[in-house]
Amino acid sequence: MPAATAAASTARYDIDGFLKAIGDVPVTTDMQRVRLRSRDYFWYSPVLNKLLRGKSADVVATPRNEADVIAVAAACARLRIPLTPRGAATGNYGQAVPLEGGVLLDLTNMTAIEWQKPGVIRCEPGLKMNDLDAATRPQGWELRMHPSTKRMATIGGFVGGGSGGVGSVNYGGLREPGNILCARVITLEEKPRAIELRTDAAQKINRAYGTTGIITALEMPLAPAWPWIDVIVAFDDFFDALQLGSDVALADGIIKKLITPMIWPIPQHFNAVRAHCPDGKHVIFAMIAEQSLESFKAILGNRGTITYEQPHDDAPGKEPLYEYTWNHTTLQALKVDKDITYLQTIFPPESNVTALIASHEMFGEEVMAHAEFQRRLGRTNCSSLQVVRYTGDERLWEIVRQMETLGIRLSNPHSYILEDKGARVPSADMQLAFKHESDPHGLLNPGKMSRWTAA
Amino acid sequence: MPAATAAASTARYDIDGFLKAIGDVPVTTDMQRVRLRSRDYFWYSPVLNKLLRGKSADVVATPRNEADVIAVAAACARLRIPLTPRGAATGNYGQAVPLEGGVLLDLTNMTAIEWQKPGVIRCEPGLKMNDLDAATRPQGWELRMHPSTKRMATIGGFVGGGSGGVGSVNYGGLREPGNILCARVITLEEKPRAIELRTDAAQKINRAYGTTGIITALEMPLAPAWPWIDVIVAFDDFFDALQLGSDVALADGIIKKLITPMIWPIPQHFNAVRAHCPDGKHVIFAMIAEQSLESFKAILGNRGTITYEQPHDDAPGKEPLYEYTWNHTTLQALKVDKDITYLQTIFPPESNVTALIASHEMFGEEVMAHAEFQRRLGRTNCSSLQVVRYTGDERLWEIVRQMETLGIRLSNPHSYILEDKGARVPSADMQLAFKHESDPHGLLNPGKMSRWTAA
């Protein structure tokens, strides 16, 4: 459980000196707007909501380019002002919330595409993922994976604060080798340096919440942009839904991007697609390549009924199914029921389905099963973002303890501490070591990396 | 071990009646040419060589189109003449060798492409896989997988007699759902029918050696045609080679098509690329997408040395690395050493590397380790085509028995019997059941499906 370590965010810093030092870099000092932009989607968690709701930066800087970033970083280092980078701030763990005030570095105006070649793009961090895909799709490419917030979120925010999502059923998460080709970062020093972190070195900044450097460019590998079909399948028996999900996830000849089983009553709140989610039925939301749809149906057989089948489209005004999956599942429930929260857990690889069923039998509708099939360390696995009826912190942690007896491990979504996310040890060690080099004064998003704060 | 069940191939059939019945379908009756075309590459196996070397059809028919196939099938059914279909006959198990004479149906002149759409092709069975890829690559597509004989072999022969190969590290074998979209077959009846076997129904003819129908069209799913790089890596320690192979196979973010570790002295016979295989070093031959090459090198680290790195090219006159892998590995050794044979085995999924090392320690250079990483039932696994110093059948089966104590299962390459290949039971049952429908007189490639022959 996270400790409330953050100090009050008062104007302890020389903000005037900062503003003078950065020249014409665009800033906002209007406190109402600064406070608003200091928030992310931590309010999904009643635990984080208590800890983070009052936190704010003192000023927001909005760099236009890398030179602006360098000016801001140099000023912060010299004046010892904390700096917290953010993209669209769609994360759920307070990744982009400044615990100790200071400067919020909003990178959403840095959206340039540096170059594209077949299967690779290099761009600035503020590029929205939907704009990125729109730019690459004419050449037949798209991002390998994206969060359910793709239509709002930036690529830099995803790499800095995210882990995987739609597409991870093929490629695993961003941590897997090959899923980030290069990250260019600016250090937080009096004389900031630009460092190109190629291949596995990019793990120094991947999901480090901006504690180890400011991303100014990313080189991302792309995937073939298949014509995807959004499919909803309804099931009488939740076990059949899980088993189909597992069968399809393990079928390497079937091209898919999303396999999301959800137990009834989760779909009751799915307004726009509610008509395709029959009362009392469990569902799978899936994205299947057109090429593989017939084979998908052959695997399905008569275990369930397809209630929805439409070409995928996430242009404005459209309803892509992925906005009912990953942590959007929780959001759809939260929109109508404020007593809802969630957990995030990883299942034992060879007994996904059994563990999910056991968990359902243990908790019933208090913990509503929602699984996301994905690859992890070269194996098909599922993680779960269970929708939980929240009755207090004590009960929440009791649920977690009981799940552990089933081999289900928590990746704690109710903590803003990096190390509570079950980060793989090699990455966490790399990040801690790199921070000594990139942020010697410990000014980058302070309070998030517990081992640094402790030392 | 296979029993020598085949009767002598004398002219027991009404070949004159057959020739009259089929009208202008092109045929060969010249016995020297008929005998030559009745052979496949079974001679890799000293066991099969003894059993099959005298076998021959009585006549070769070479249909130009499906109407010709129907004419031949009808005549064979009426006159009760066995019919054995073949493509390029590059198989190693006597798949295309007629055990009881009769008609050899050479489909290599049926090469038309019916249509292409993004990610799918429909074509006749005699199309060579290299010609297929040449036709789809301008649109950015290629076959998902192919055997090492791609430059000679036909797509129909692959589906009828093969199982997987280069590309199976991503998609598994042809047996995996989604890897064959449709097979059109002609039945062996007095009034032959055309049946479209879609999705999993295509397993009725996949690797059935033509015992269950004559393929006249195939609808195959395609894969993105990445710019592949052929890479050779040399290692001091064979364990490092295997471990790298496993690491890359499990790295879902790294796009690859081939990962083949081979122990020294296997590479000593690799003429054209011998200069890149240092004396005494173990090697990995790999195909890596250009996009992923840097990440591949990061995973390699300093465990081995890259000795060769060239854009993949399998146009005529070029030396694609895959022609040193899969069963071409055995061929390269056989070219210079007639006392060589091979085994084909499947490793226990979660202990690939351990089992391979244990096998090496058990047999030393008598059984030279050669592994092919691939996906199987949704998991990364490896199979092996070990190169074996042959000293007699008795010793060969003794080796097999000892391997079984390590959890290594044989997929017997020294048998022409379908059921000895470790076919998955559901497929074998489907094929047996379908044969009652498609070949009621038991004339298609007789002697290969042991449960039919027994009944």
Side-chain angles (χ1 to χ4, degrees), chain A residues 175-244:
Chain A
R175 281 265 190 271
E176 298 290 335
N179 283 337
I180 305 171
L181 297 177
C182 180
R184 181 179 173 89
V185 299
I186 301 299
T187 61
L188 212 288
E189 299 176 286
E190 284 81 350
K191 288 191 177 168
R193 291 168 297 150
I195 304 180
E196 298 263 330
L197 301 169
R198 297 201 67 84
T199 67
D200 53 344
Q203 294 308 320
K204 293 173 180 173
I205 55 81
N206 176 213
R207 211 186 202 194
Y209 299 176
T211 57
T212 56
I214 304 163
I215 301 170
T216 56
L218 285 164
E219 216 172 295
M220 298 298 285
L222 303 173
W226 293 99
W228 298 109
I229 311 294
D230 277 354
V231 180
I232 300 176
V233 192
F235 297 84
D236 290 331
D237 187 333
F238 188 56
F239 178 81
D240 285 340
L242 287 178
Q243 195 56 56
L244 175 74

Side-chain angles (χ1 to χ4, degrees), chain B residues 337-348:
Chain B
D337 184 349
K338 295 300 164 209
D339 293 329
I340 286 296
T341 189
Y342 70 117
L343 286 173
Q344 221 169 338
T345 56
I346 298 168
F347 282 75

Side-chain angles (χ1 to χ4, degrees), chain A residues 118-120 141 144 170-172 176-181 198-200 219-224 226-227 249-255 291-292 294-295 298-299 350 375-380, chain B residues 118-120 141 144 170-172 176-181 198-200 219-224 226-227 249-255 291-292 294-295 298-299 350 375-380:
Chain A
V120 188
W141 304 104
R144 287 182 173 184
N170 301 309
Y171 296 100
E176 298 290 335
N179 283 337
I180 305 171
L181 297 177
R198 297 201 67 84
T199 67
D200 53 344
E219 216 172 295
M220 298 298 285
L222 303 173
W226 293 99
L250 288 167
D252 291 310
I254 294 194
I255 311 292
Q291 178 200 47
S292 293
E294 197 181 347
S295 303
I299 290 194
E350 293 299 321
R375 303 272 300 163
R376 185 177 165 84
L377 297 168
R379 287 172 184 82
T380 293
Chain B
V120 189
W141 304 104
R144 285 183 174 183
N170 301 310
Y171 296 101
E176 298 290 336
N179 283 337
I180 304 171
L181 297 177
R198 298 202 67 84
T199 67
D200 53 344
E219 216 173 295
M220 298 298 286
L222 303 173
W226 294 98
L250 288 167
D252 291 311
I254 295 195
I255 311 293
Q291 176 199 48
S292 294
E294 196 180 350
S295 303
I299 290 195
E350 294 300 320
R375 304 272 299 166
R376 186 179 165 82
L377 297 168
R379 288 173 183 81
T380 293

